[in-house]
Structures are given as structure tokens and as C-alpha cells.
């Protein structure tokens, strides 16, 4: 790879843009050409997702699409953004553990506590081993720099919450994958604007986008023979990667006196990250509150997710995913334009808008029923 970079330098072609272009293409096509084989093996070995209480589909569908996404991201990151594996020694190990746990759960359905233990291990590896952690809250509730132990504990919990939160929004075609593409694009553009030091993270974001777009081609297919889900393998992997990229994003704005590292400052950086990941955060908090209110276990499956509410309005999977993503992208835009106001006020605005989106389908459903009854 270094010889290739030297060749590009001599020809005058910017290495960064070549990495972006090739990273996207290789990532897309590796996933694109891997999934048909996975579908074929899944059907031959009867490794299919069975419709259940939380399911929004009526037929048995292969659910190992996350393997292709991992395969693509693992290969392309090692080639085009290898600096990340040098800098964060435990990143690849964490991805391997998540792959194993995800595949096991998709095939034989693991007990919840075993998955939780694995998620704690993965989160601890990346937080303690690679030092990817939330070091400051930038003044949220008057809290600034966190003590090391509190920072580690808070970061591990954040990783676990986001891994599971992203898993929970993976309930209809296109939602988890489409939202991941939007989040990765937003983080990628932000990294690009923050300078060359963050270019490996830009390439990484582009690789994720390429892999997930190829998956979406099959996930949104109208032909049953081509359809596939990402399963827990994909949703946990992508949830972990989005948690990783969001914490890296927040960390950029902490004033660190490091050689050759530019200094940036954005007081509202944590809230902007929350805005980008607002859908899984709000959806998870919402269903947990509802379950506790109904005196049920927070881990009990139900149909109180935002996407279930939109399906209740007789929307197709594609339309429901589109409307959900569009609404929450609007929240990101609002966070961006208000990024210089007081951080606590901005957080309140983002959370209010987030929960409004969670209950908007309820209001529409009641309104439609009243209108039809009249």
C-alpha cells in the first residue's frame, strides 16, 4: 500500500481522493457479490429469520446479510484506512467478537445475558484498550471534564446502549441501513471539514456507506429470491461503528495540546452527535418507558417502535423508512443551525423534537380514525 501511495504521489494524484473512490467501489462490490452466495447458503442450510411478534414480515427471509457487510468493511478498512487499525489496536478485535456473537444469535438465538457480556467485553476493549471514550460533556448539566473512571464507565454504557438501540430500529426494510448511510455521511462530511488529520475517518465512513448501500440493494428488493436482512450481525456491527465514529467526533473538539494536531472548538459537539443518532436513542428510550409503564420487562418484545406505528398507518416499509429518516435528518439540520446556542437549551430542543417524532404517528392515527368515524 505504501508503494502504491508513493506511485500516486509521483503522478500528482491526491492519495486521499483515490482512497475514497477505491474504498467506496471495493466496499460496494465486495458486499454486492457476497450476498447472493450468503442467500444461497442460508436457504440451503435453512438459516432463515422466522416471523415473530416484533416482525413486520410474513415470510421466512435469510438474515445473515451482516456477514457481507463485515467482510467488506474489514477488508477495505485494512487496505484504505489502515491507520485506524494502527491507531486503535483493539478495533479489529472488537469487530471480530461482534461478528461471532451476531452470527451465533442469528443462527441459534443466544440468551440476552450472553450477548450483554460480549457487548461489555467489546466496549471495554475499545474504551480502555483503544482509549475511545467520552472525556467531557462540554457543560451539559454543568458538567465538563470527566474523571477517568467515570469517563470509562459512561463510555462503556454508551457503547452498549447504542449497539442495542441500533439493533432495535432494525425492524423494517431499509430503516437501519438507510439511517446508517445518513449518519456515516454526516460524520464523514464533518471529518472532512475538520482537516487532513481526520482523513482516515472520512475514508472509513465512505467504506461503511459503500457496504451498506450494496446491502440495501438486496434488502429493498421486490424479488423475494434476492431479499435479505442484516440480522443481529449487521445491526450490532453498525451500531458499534456509529458509536465509535460519534465518540471520535466528540473527542476532536476537546482542546488537546498535541503536536501536529489542529485545535477545534464546538461547545455543542456532544449534542450534535446526539442529534445525528437521535432516532435509535429516542426509539429505545420510548419503548423502555412504555414497557415499564405497562409493568413489563424492558427486554420484552412488542410493537411500540416508531416504525411499527407508521406501518399501522398502512404505509409500506419503504415509505415508512423514508419518512422516519427524513424527519430525523431535519432534526440534525436544526441542531446544525442552532449549534452556537447554549448547549443545554439545544439538547432540550433536540430531545423534544426527537420524542415528538416518536408520537407524531399516534396523533395522525387518532386524527384519521376520528375523521373516518365522522
Amino acid at each position: 500500500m505504501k508503494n502504491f501511495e508513493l506511485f500516486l504521489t509521483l503522478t500528482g494524484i491526491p492519495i486521499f481522493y483515490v482512497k475514497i473512490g477505491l474504498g467506496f467501489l471495493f466496499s460496494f462490490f465486495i458486499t454486492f457479490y457476497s450476498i447472493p452466495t450468503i442467500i444461497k447458503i442460508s436457504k440451503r442450510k435453512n438459516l432463515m429469520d422466522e416471523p415473530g411478534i416484533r416482525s413486520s414480515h410474513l415470510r421466512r427471509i435469510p438474515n445473515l446479510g451482516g456477514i457481507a457487510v463485515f467482510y467488506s468493511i474489514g477488508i477495505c478498512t485494512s487496505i484504505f484506512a489502515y491507520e485506524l487499525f494502527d491507531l486503535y489496536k483493539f478495533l479489529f478485535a472488537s469487530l471480530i467478537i461482534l461478528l461471532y456473537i451476531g452470527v451465533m444469535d442469528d443462527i441459534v438465538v443466544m440468551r440476552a445475558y450472553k450477548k450483554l457480556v460480549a457487548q461489555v467485553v467489546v466496549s471495554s476493549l475499545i474504551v480502555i484498550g483503544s482509549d475511545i471514550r467520552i472525556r467531557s460533556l462540554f457543560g451539559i448539566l454543568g458538567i465538563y471534564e470527566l474523571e477517568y473512571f467515570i469517563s470509562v464507565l459512561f463510555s462503556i454504557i454508551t457503547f452498549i446502549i447504542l449497539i442495542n438501540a441500533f439493533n432495535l430500529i432494525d425492524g423494517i426494510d431499509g430503516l437501519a441501513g438507510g439511517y446508517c448511510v445518513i449518519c456515516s455521511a454526516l460524520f464523514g462530511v464533518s471529518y472532512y471539514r475538520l482537516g487532513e488529520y481526520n482523513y482516515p475517518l472520512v475514508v472509513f465512513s465512505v467504506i461503511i456507506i459503500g457496504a451498506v448501500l450494496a446491502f440495501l440493494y438486496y434488502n429493498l428488493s421486490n424479488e423475494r429470491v434476492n431479499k435479505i436482512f442484516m440480522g443481529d450481525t449487521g445491526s450490532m456491527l453498525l451500531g458499534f461503528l456509529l458509536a465509535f465514529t460519534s465518540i471520535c467526533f466528540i473527542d476532536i473538539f476537546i482542546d488537546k495540546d498535541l503536536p501536529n494536531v489542529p485545535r477545534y472548538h464546538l461547545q455543542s459537539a456532544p449534542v450534535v452527535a446526539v442529534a445525528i443518532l437521535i432516532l435509535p436513542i429516542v426509539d429505545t428510550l420510548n419503548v423502555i418507558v412504555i414497557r415499564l409503564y405497562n409493568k413489563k420487562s424492558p427486554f420484552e418484545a412488542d410493537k411500540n417502535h416508531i416504525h411499527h406505528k407508521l406501518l399501522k398507518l398502512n404505509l409500506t416499509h419503504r415509505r415508512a423508512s423514508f419518512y422516519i429518516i427524513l424527519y430525523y435528518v431535519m432534526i440534525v439540520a436544526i441542531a446544525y443551525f442552532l449549534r452556537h446556542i447554549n448547549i443545554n437549551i439545544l439538547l432540550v430542543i433536540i430531545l423534544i423534537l426527537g420524542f415528538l417524532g416518536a408520537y407524531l404517528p399516534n396523533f395522525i392515527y387518532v386524527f384519521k380514525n376520528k375523521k373516518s368515524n365522522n
Side-chain angles (χ1 to χ4, degrees):
M1 187 65 188
K2 289 183 178 179
N3 290 334
F4 180 61
E5 289 181 0
L6 179 61
F7 169 75
L8 290 176
T9 303
L10 293 174
T11 58
I13 302 173
I15 298 170
F16 169 65
Y17 295 107
V18 173
K19 285 183 176 181
I20 281 186
L22 292 180
F24 176 82
L25 289 174
F26 274 77
S27 178
F28 181 90
F29 285 113
I30 289 173
T31 303
F32 187 83
Y33 287 110
S34 298
I35 285 180
T37 303
I38 293 172
I39 292 175
K40 189 182 297 183
I41 293 172
S42 296
K43 290 180 178 179
R44 187 178 299 166
K45 300 296 182 181
N46 199 28
L47 305 174
M48 313 280 275
D49 184 60
E50 300 283 350
I53 186 172
R54 283 184 59 226
S55 302
S56 300
H57 61 285
L58 303 175
R59 298 184 180 90
R60 298 165 74 245
I61 304 291
N63 66 337
L64 294 174
I67 295 177
V69 174
F70 167 84
Y71 181 50
S72 177
I73 292 173
I75 291 174
C76 293
T77 304
S78 301
I79 297 172
F80 301 109
Y82 59 86
E83 298 94 338
L84 293 180
F85 290 149
D86 284 340
L87 192 58
Y88 309 116
K89 302 295 184 184
F90 293 91
L91 178 57
F92 192 71
S94 299
L95 297 180
I96 292 291
I97 295 171
L98 282 175
L99 171 70
Y100 175 76
I101 297 302
V103 171
M104 288 290 290
D105 191 49
D106 287 330
I107 294 176
V108 298
V109 184
M110 295 181 65
R111 290 181 180 271
Y113 80 89
K114 290 183 178 180
K115 286 170 62 178
L116 181 60
V117 169
Q119 290 168 8
V120 170
V121 170
V122 166
S123 302
S124 300
L125 280 175
I126 199 71
V127 171
I128 300 172
S130 297
D131 202 32
I132 297 296
R133 56 190 174 88
I134 301 170
R135 306 167 199 273
S136 171
L137 293 186
F138 291 70
I140 294 177
L141 301 176
I143 302 170
Y144 288 88
E145 188 174 348
L146 300 173
E147 293 182 6
Y148 179 77
F149 177 76
I150 295 174
S151 170
V152 167
L153 185 61
F154 182 58
S155 300
I156 290 173
I157 293 171
T158 300
F159 265 102
I160 293 170
I161 289 173
L162 288 175
I163 289 170
N164 288 288
F166 202 80
N167 186 30
L168 290 177
I169 69 167
D170 183 29
I172 58 175
D173 297 342
L175 181 56
Y179 198 75
C180 177
V181 168
I182 296 297
C183 290
S184 297
L186 290 169
F187 281 126
V189 169
S190 299
Y191 290 134
Y192 178 77
R193 294 184 63 192
L194 291 169
E196 293 185 18
Y197 182 76
N198 303 296
Y199 278 2
L201 286 167
V202 180
V203 178
F204 188 49
S205 298
V206 170
I207 288 169
I208 294 172
I209 291 171
V212 177
L213 281 177
F215 162 78
L216 285 173
Y217 173 84
Y218 295 96
N219 182 235
L220 294 172
S221 174
N222 290 322
E223 299 178 16
R224 187 184 167 192
V225 292
N226 288 332
K227 200 167 192 66
I228 193 169
F229 298 151
M230 67 171 66
D232 278 8
T233 308
S235 61
M236 287 201 299
L237 174 71
L238 296 179
F240 172 81
L241 291 178
L242 288 178
F244 170 80
T245 50
S246 64
I247 292 176
C248 286
F249 172 79
I250 295 170
D251 197 53
I252 289 171
F253 296 97
I254 295 175
D255 191 13
K256 300 182 291 291
D257 188 12
L258 297 175
N260 302 319
V261 178
R263 292 183 177 184
Y264 308 99
H265 180 70
L266 180 64
Q267 184 72 23
S268 59
V271 180
V272 173
V274 168
I276 293 174
L277 298 174
I278 189 67
L279 171 59
I281 292 171
V282 163
D283 191 50
T284 301
L285 290 175
N286 180 51
V287 295
I288 288 176
V289 168
I290 292 174
R291 289 169 189 174
L292 292 175
Y293 178 79
N294 293 326
K295 298 180 180 178
K296 295 181 179 179
S297 167
F299 305 104
E300 185 176 338
D302 58 29
K303 288 197 172 184
N304 288 313
H305 294 279
I306 298 170
H307 53 267
H308 288 135
K309 296 176 183 180
L310 283 176
L311 293 182
K312 201 175 176 182
L313 295 173
N314 296 320
L315 293 176
T316 63
H317 282 216
R318 289 186 180 187
R319 285 197 174 186
S321 295
F322 176 76
Y323 289 145
I324 292 171
I325 292 172
L326 184 64
Y327 179 83
Y328 285 100
V329 166
M330 179 197 72
I331 293 179
V332 177
I334 291 171
Y336 177 77
F337 286 113
L338 299 179
R339 66 190 183 279
H340 296 303
I341 70 172
N342 180 275
I343 187 171
N344 290 291
I345 294 174
L346 182 58
L347 179 61
V348 170
I349 292 172
I350 296 306
L351 290 177
I352 288 174
L353 289 172
F355 279 101
L356 177 62
Y359 285 95
L360 200 56
N362 297 65
F363 301 144
I364 296 172
Y365 183 77
V366 171
F367 176 76
K368 285 181 69 175
N369 280 351
K370 282 185 178 180
K371 192 175 180 180
S372 61
N373 290 333
N374 293 334

